[in-house]
Amino acid sequence: MTTDPRTVEDVIAYCLAKPGAQETYPFGDHVLVAKVGGKAFAFIGQNAPPSVGLKCGATEEEAAELRTRYPSTVSVMAYLGRYGWNNIALTAPVHATVPPTELAELLDASYDAVVAKLPKSRRP
């Protein structure tokens, strides 16, 4: 497993290496939805431009803080944005991208937030 995801392939490998992670395609071949315990923790858009949708905080304010820091890369995720989900572009000018180490932390946090809400019987 890569420790600092930089590409869409790295993000997919990072997510699927998580305990109990499952690869699903409920919206077609262009969006991989990484799930744990039947619940999504990452929406990975593989069409150009590639992106990943993640749970970014317990509140809308926490998710908004990330959008403020990376205004050209991070946006409110369609349909789920009001629940603290952001869409993070994986291709952008280097100065505007979320650093790979921070992206790994965001992937971990999204996974952990979903696992924490699962019933104990469905946790990996």
Side-chain angles (χ1 to χ4, degrees), residues 22-74:
Q22 299 170 321
E23 178 177 0
T24 67
Y25 293 89
F27 308 113
D29 293 346
H30 63 289
V31 179
L32 184 160
V33 179
K35 293 183 176 184
V36 61
K39 298 290 184 181
F41 69 91
F43 295 84
I44 305 167
Q46 299 176 71
N47 284 352
S51 64
V52 61
L54 300 172
K55 177 81 169 147
C56 292
T59 66
E60 171 55 29
E61 290 76 24
E62 290 176 24
E65 189 274 329
L66 190 65
R67 293 191 302 271
T68 300
R69 285 191 327 193
Y70 302 103
S72 62
T73 306
V74 181

Side-chain angles (χ1 to χ4, degrees), residues 1-2 10-22 41 111:
M1 171 172 70
T2 183
D10 292 343
V11 169
I12 291 169
Y14 192 90
C15 289
L16 297 181
K18 297 276 186 201
Q22 299 170 321
F41 69 91
Y111 173 84

Side-chain angles (χ1 to χ4, degrees), residues 60-124:
E60 171 55 29
E61 290 76 24
E62 290 176 24
E65 189 274 329
L66 190 65
R67 293 191 302 271
T68 300
R69 285 191 327 193
Y70 302 103
S72 62
T73 306
V74 181
S75 59
V76 174
M77 189 171 166
Y79 307 110
L80 295 174
R82 66 177 174 235
Y83 302 108
W85 288 75
N86 281 334
N87 192 54
I88 302 168
L90 297 175
T91 56
V94 173
H95 68 279
T97 59
V98 175
T101 52
E102 187 172 1
L103 181 57
E105 291 171 6
L106 292 168
L107 291 163
D108 292 343
S110 185
Y111 173 84
D112 292 343
V114 171
V115 168
K117 291 195 173 203
L118 290 173
K120 289 188 191 245
S121 64
R122 289 179 39 203
R123 292 182 189 176

